[in-house]
């Protein structure tokens, strides 16, 4: 297995990521925007009992619009959905969106969005708004993605540890699959008795940055004494591929990414989580096609391999987000709880 240049969702050609956060006194929240190339097909899979979302019904395979212009992820619970307004304004200024009139400027940008519940981590009223979404778009780049306490992950919590934003990528059969996750889960991402991530087996090339995982219970302090609040949850994210997929095929990618979420956090998809994964297919490369029934099987097999990769990259993105996070008052980071773990330079 090989990753892309940045080991991030931006390795998918044409995909940009922008982030904006405020972490000064009284603030601990932010927004993350994924900007795909024009004509990108979108889909979604939502699990868990407490979602906060926008424009998800639009992405169902049976509904009219197939393409999306951006995906907005934010803190602030339902208030944070306002960040998508800023993303829409940024896109409208560039005349990008669904054409609804005779003039090029008469467009409606399609911006699905999801939020995490992090309200009590800052002062009441200090949460993402349209300005956050606009600023995140202004910061968008196709380069490396800031991970940990950044963007929508600024106020995130993963069980008893500080959560955050993580990203990863994988090359498979000439395609690139990338994921970005905002980890704010009710469950734990690492084993409380040993400090090893549940998804440690999916690490590639030492990307998690440790020379060894603690193995023996009791060798390192337990994270079980953290300040986890089971009301403040939800993992959200995006998986992207440079393949040409239909909405239905794209949704299979989102479904598979949810499997990666379940590998990485335990328990997952609880009544207190609103776990939501968006999928984007940029259409750069066609799936292989043969003749007759074998051709259909060829395409299905290729899609299945992309889905398997989506599971892996989403799990890896989640672990990377938690390991990269920095602690905040009352909420330790992984490196605060297990300082003895040897970290690579």
């Amino acid at each position: 297995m090989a990753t892309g240049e940045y080991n991030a969702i931006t390795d998918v050609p044409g995909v940009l990521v922008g982030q904006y956060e405020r972490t000064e006194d009284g603030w601990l929240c932010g927004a993350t925007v994924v900007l795909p190339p024009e004509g990108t097909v979108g889909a979604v899979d939502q699990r868990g009992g407490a979602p906060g979302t926008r424009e998800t019904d639009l992405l169902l395979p049976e509904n009219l619009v197939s393409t999306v212009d951006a995906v907005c992820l934010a803190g602030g619970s339902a208030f944070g959905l306002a960040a998508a307004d800023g993303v829409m304004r940024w896109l409208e200024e560039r005349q990008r969106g669904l054409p609804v009139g005779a003039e090029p400027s008469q467009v409606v940008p399609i911006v699905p969005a999801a939020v995490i519940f992090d309200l009590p981590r800052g002062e009441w009223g200090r949460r993402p708004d349209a300005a956050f979404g606009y600023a995140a778009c202004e910061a968008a780049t196709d380069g490396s993605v800031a991970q940990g306490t950044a963007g929508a992950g600024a106020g995130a919590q993963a069980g008893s540890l500080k959560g955050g934003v993580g990203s990863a990528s994988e090359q498979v059969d000439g395609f690139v699959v990338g994921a970005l996750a905002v980890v704010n889960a009710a469950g734990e991402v690492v084993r409380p008795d040993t400090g090893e991530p549940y998804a440690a087996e999916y690490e590639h090339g030492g990307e998690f940055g440790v020379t060894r995982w603690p193995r023996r219970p009791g060798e390192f302090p337990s994270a079980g004494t953290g300040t986890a609040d089971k009301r403040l949850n939800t993992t959200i994210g995006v998986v992207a591929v440079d393949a040409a997929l239909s909405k239905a095929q794209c949704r299979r990618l989102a479904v598979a990414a949810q499997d990666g979420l379940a590998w990485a956090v335990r328990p997952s998809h609880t009544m207190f989580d609103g776990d939501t994964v968006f999928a984007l297919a940029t259409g750069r490369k066609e799936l292989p096609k043969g003749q007759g029934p074998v051709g259909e099987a060829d395409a299905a097999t290729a899609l299945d391999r992309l889905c398997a990769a989506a599971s892996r990259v989403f799990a890896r993105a989640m672990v990377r987000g938690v390991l990269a996070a920095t602690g905040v008052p009352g909420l330790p980071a992984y490196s605060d709880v297990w300082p003895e773990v040897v970290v690579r330079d």
Side-chain angles (χ1 to χ4, degrees):
M1 183 185 79
T3 70
E5 178 181 0
Y6 300 107
N7 195 12
I9 195 171
T10 49
D11 290 321
V12 179
V15 173
L16 312 180
V17 171
Q19 304 195 87
Y20 178 77
E21 68 281 336
R22 295 190 64 176
T23 58
E24 66 268 31
D25 290 346
W27 288 90
L28 195 58
C29 62
T32 299
V33 176
V34 178
L35 293 166
E38 291 191 53
T40 293
V41 172
V44 68
D45 186 74
Q46 191 282 312
R47 305 187 188 188
T53 57
R54 167 173 169 163
E55 295 278 39
T56 51
D57 281 355
L58 181 78
L59 298 181
L60 297 177
E62 66 268 24
N63 290 336
L64 177 65
V65 177
S66 295
T67 61
V68 302
D69 299 297
V71 175
C72 181
L73 310 174
S77 189
F79 294 109
L81 291 171
D85 292 339
V87 180
M88 290 187 70
R89 180 164 62 87
W90 189 89
L91 290 163
E92 183 187 22
E93 291 174 356
R94 289 152 182 79
Q95 299 183 359
R96 178 167 172 184
L98 180 70
V100 294
E103 300 298 325
S105 60
Q106 295 173 339
V107 297
V108 177
I110 304 301
V111 184
V115 293
I116 64 170
F117 190 79
D118 60 359
L119 289 174
R121 303 205 183 106
E123 292 182 10
W124 188 259
R126 296 190 173 183
R127 57 230 180 191
D129 57 16
F132 278 65
Y134 193 95
C137 290
E138 287 284 277
T141 175
D142 61 357
S144 60
V145 175
Q147 303 191 55
T149 308
Q157 178 172 342
S160 54
L161 297 173
K162 180 70 179 70
V165 171
S167 195
S169 70
E170 178 179 335
Q171 299 179 27
V172 54
D173 300 335
F175 296 96
V176 181
V177 181
L180 182 144
V182 182
V183 190
N184 188 61
E188 298 285 352
V189 175
V190 304
R191 300 177 186 273
D193 58 343
T194 68
E196 182 178 9
Y198 288 112
E201 65 186 283
Y202 299 105
E203 180 183 23
H204 174 71
E207 66 184 330
F208 295 159
V210 300
T211 57
R212 63 184 177 88
W213 296 112
R215 297 285 182 180
R216 297 186 299 277
E219 183 179 2
F220 294 97
S222 171
T225 57
T227 57
D229 186 332
K230 299 305 182 185
R231 300 171 300 166
L232 312 181
N233 311 127
T234 293
T235 295
I236 54 180
V238 181
V239 61
V241 64
D242 56 351
L245 303 179
S246 67
K247 280 179 79 174
Q249 290 172 322
C250 198
R251 186 171 187 275
R252 292 302 307 174
L253 208 68
V255 169
Q258 291 274 18
D259 292 338
L261 190 158
W263 294 343
V265 61
R266 302 180 188 181
S268 59
H269 307 141
T270 74
M271 287 299 295
F272 303 97
D273 289 292
D275 300 331
T276 302
V277 179
F278 297 97
L280 301 173
T282 68
R284 186 166 175 261
K285 298 179 182 179
E286 295 285 341
L287 295 180
K289 295 180 181 178
Q291 299 295 320
V294 176
E296 292 295 324
D298 288 345
T301 298
L303 176 60
D304 190 60
R305 288 175 57 80
L306 294 179
C307 288
S311 300
R312 292 189 293 268
V313 296
F314 204 86
R316 290 166 47 217
M318 290 185 64
V319 175
R320 283 162 60 85
V322 172
L323 297 187
T326 53
V328 297
L331 184 58
Y334 180 90
S335 59
D336 297 326
V337 178
W338 284 280
E340 295 90 343
V341 173
V342 179
V343 180
R344 293 188 177 91
D345 294 331

